[in-house]
Amino acid sequence: MFDKAAGPEVLKQHNRQLVMSAIEAHTPVSRARLARYTKLSRTSISQIVDELLPTGIIRETGESVLTGGRPGLLLELNADAWHALGVELRDTEWVVVITNLAGKICRQLNIPAEYRSPEDTFRTLGQKLAAIIKQTEYKLLPAVGVGVPGIVDEEAGVIIQSEDRGWVDVPVRRLLEKEISLRALVINR
């Protein structure tokens, strides 16, 4: 549930995510239906939609079927407006994917994993990701998802312990962000 003490910016972000989820689930959808699905006011819906339209993440697709009253413009997720970069460490390789917002894999690369020290491993990965980021034709979200084995402190971006690799207290986020222009979001795979 939403914490009312969190502040207006957190509420705004929560409502934006609520609207995006409703658009994704009910595409195409009118603003009036979004208000019904999300239980937000029509004014709030219009403000959020007006913020999202210029980003290209959603788009207007035409008019809804007239059911009495003025027809509403339909909205849909523009799945190819932005792309996500993700990487996962498997046994012997890094699997790197670029997906559209609907989760469709647009590009996949398998990069051999070189295991030296954890610092060298993630520095090398960061350099390879930097080259991919520089060469890609896709507009990337400002973060990369990184799936790693072991116990992970997701907030700090640190592998606390990975028994199969013998790693302890590896600052993955810090190591990768030295090499790439995106925020690293580190999770357990």
Side-chain angles (χ1 to χ4, degrees), residues 39-113:
K39 310 254 188 288
L40 296 174
S41 71
R42 288 185 182 208
T43 301
S44 293
I45 294 294
S46 289
Q47 288 173 343
I48 293 167
V49 167
D50 289 347
E51 289 174 8
L52 292 173
L53 281 170
T55 70
I57 202 164
I58 63 170
R59 61 183 168 209
E60 295 175 331
T61 62
E63 292 185 351
S64 64
V65 177
L66 189 59
T67 59
R70 193 176 91 216
L73 288 174
L74 296 175
L75 303 164
E76 70 178 7
L77 178 68
N78 183 3
D80 291 315
W82 291 82
H83 290 76
L85 176 63
V87 60
E88 179 182 10
L89 179 58
R90 302 248 174 103
D91 291 333
T92 61
E93 65 187 1
W94 292 101
V95 178
V96 180
V97 295
I98 297 177
T99 68
N100 71 8
L101 296 176
K104 177 186 169 201
I105 295 175
C106 301
R107 184 171 180 206
Q108 179 172 330
L109 296 146
N110 295 19
I111 301 171

Side-chain angles (χ1 to χ4, degrees), residues 113-121 123-125 127 165 167:
E114 301 170 16
Y115 298 112
R116 296 178 296 271
S117 69
E119 292 77 12
D120 285 343
T121 299
R123 189 175 307 110
T124 301
L125 173 65
Q127 292 165 353
R165 299 279 181 253
W167 294 343

Side-chain angles (χ1 to χ4, degrees), residues 22-44:
I23 291 171
E24 184 178 10
H26 303 286
T27 242
V29 63
S30 68
R31 286 171 176 81
R33 287 220 183 264
L34 278 176
R36 278 186 235 129
Y37 293 142
T38 62
K39 310 254 188 288
L40 296 174
S41 71
R42 288 185 182 208
T43 301
S44 293

Side-chain angles (χ1 to χ4, degrees), residues 108-189:
Q108 179 172 330
L109 296 146
N110 295 19
I111 301 171
E114 301 170 16
Y115 298 112
R116 296 178 296 271
S117 69
E119 292 77 12
D120 285 343
T121 299
F122 287 100
R123 189 175 307 110
T124 301
L125 173 65
Q127 292 165 353
K128 291 179 181 186
L129 288 176
I132 291 167
I133 292 165
K134 186 176 181 180
Q135 294 171 0
T136 189
E137 69 273 19
Y138 299 108
K139 186 175 180 180
L140 296 175
L141 293 169
V144 57
V146 184
V148 293
I151 301 168
V152 176
D153 178 340
E154 293 178 8
E155 208 167 297
V158 173
I159 297 174
I160 295 170
Q161 182 177 4
S162 176
E163 287 190 25
D164 59 337
R165 299 279 181 253
W167 294 343
V168 176
D169 294 327
V170 181
V172 176
R173 176 179 297 145
R174 183 177 55 80
L175 294 168
L176 285 178
E177 289 178 359
K178 282 183 179 179
E179 305 294 334
I180 62 174
S181 58
L182 304 177
R183 177 118 170 111
L185 305 174
V186 185
I187 61 169
N188 173 269
R189 63 170 164 87

